[in-house]
Amino acid sequence: MDTPPQRRLTWVLLGVLMVFYGWLITFAGELSILMIRANRSADLAAELGEQADAKGIARGGTMFFVGDIMLSRSVEKKMEATGDYTFLFLKVAEILRSADLAFGNLEGPISSRGANQGSIYSFRADPRAVEGLVFAGFDVLSLANNHIWDWGRTALLDTVSLLRAEGISPVGAGGSYDEANQVALLEFNGVKVAVLAYTNLLPKSFQAGVDSPGLSEFDLGKIKENVSQLKKSVDLVVVSLHWGEEYQTSANEGQKDIAHALIDSGVDLVVGHHPHVVQEVEQYGKGWAAYSLGNFVFDQSFSEETMAGAALWVKVENGSIAEVRLLPVNISPEFQPEIDPSLL
């Protein structure tokens, strides 16, 4: 017996409604699960954010840069007389250690070996002098200067080894070309920083060979290429340069041309030293150049300018330089640098 068309339509509609109802129940369940997962993810993200804040992880921090550190001659005699190789840094160690990255230029080797290369201004510090550098909290020290070779290859290699053994990254010199040109890579609070060091004051014969010790290669074109590659994987690139004219309180055109070319290639900060006096700080494009920070530890007591250097305090926020301050450094008759903490 045939079912009337109206009844068949009713059964079809009921079937469709039952299928729809089943699908709706399934969808509601899945939606509920998704909402629970979303809420859990949001809670987890908030929890991780709170943990990051508690640890001070906000892709920011501070960097501290100082000028020439010479630990020989009268400075060494002062350390010997006190019997304390941290003596020089007693007044600044707390400030330096408070920074996430502390940098300076080490003017001369630290070693008990080597041969004097003949200059009347040859520097070499007692190996115990490294105690002061560690106490001060230095993370990176440039060796790319005109005094690191004063006692030859042995003393240079001793310096590199000694610093590394104490957890300080030497840049700008090494036992081979690759080592001398190696980048110091540091990270703090999620900020990745690359530090390179060079000098343009010495002939190419002082540069490291494939398997021979020496200084990094100052080739502006190669440096710019290196910077372009580094910027793909780090937040900030810092280039240290031992350059300029001694006792001149203003940067020359050559310094400015180099600094501008480096910043144009992606360098965020150029830090200079060698003139033994302070030169200007310039904001150029997206970067900064501190042309000379003068002396930090030195025995050049013949003028006020050479016993009054500067320190560069750099604030980093979200992986970029947010603020730069040039802080006066007073060097006492005992060769102790001092920085007014109220300026920070």
Side-chain angles (χ1 to χ4, degrees), residues 58-128:
R59 281 179 45 75
T62 57
M63 302 187 295
F64 220 89
F65 299 86
V66 301
D68 293 333
I69 302 169
M70 196 281 296
L71 303 174
S72 184
R73 288 194 315 201
S74 299
V75 176
E76 184 171 60
K77 291 178 181 177
K78 175 58 67 174
M79 289 187 287
E80 291 173 349
T82 62
D84 183 1
Y85 284 80
T86 70
F87 172 80
L88 301 170
F89 302 101
L90 292 178
K91 297 181 178 180
V92 292
E94 186 175 353
I95 290 176
L96 287 172
R97 289 198 300 257
S98 71
D100 295 290
L101 187 158
F103 168 95
N105 172 61
L106 181 60
E107 192 88 357
I110 301 176
S111 175
S112 58
R113 306 191 301 164
N116 192 326
Q117 300 301 292
S119 171
I120 60 172
Y121 299 114
S122 287
F123 304 149
R124 183 184 63 169
D126 187 290
R128 286 194 61 189

Side-chain angles (χ1 to χ4, degrees), residues 65-67 103-104 196 198 238-243 267 269-273 288-293 312 314:
F65 299 86
V66 301
F103 168 95
L196 306 93
Y198 306 94
V238 177
V239 173
S240 164
L241 282 166
H242 204 68
W243 60 355
V267 172
L269 180 63
V270 176
V271 179
H273 30 82
W288 294 82
Y291 287 101
S292 173
L293 296 178
L312 194 72
V314 179

Side-chain angles (χ1 to χ4, degrees), residues 124-153:
R124 183 184 63 169
D126 187 290
R128 286 194 61 189
V130 76
E131 295 174 19
L133 299 171
V134 173
F135 172 75
F138 283 105
D139 300 292
V140 188
L141 288 171
S142 170
L143 307 183
N145 55 63
N146 57 309
H147 284 287
I148 196 62
W149 198 259
D150 281 355
W151 282 74
R153 59 182 291 163

Side-chain angles (χ1 to χ4, degrees), residues 317-328:
E317 291 181 351
N318 298 318
S320 300
I321 294 176
E323 185 179 354
V324 171
R325 298 182 195 174
L326 191 67
L327 308 178

Side-chain angles (χ1 to χ4, degrees), residues 87 91 296 298 301 307 330-338:
F87 172 80
K91 297 181 178 180
F296 191 63
F298 230 107
S301 305
M307 296 297 282
N330 177 62
I331 306 172
S332 75
E334 288 75 34
F335 315 120
Q336 290 178 306
E338 189 170 5

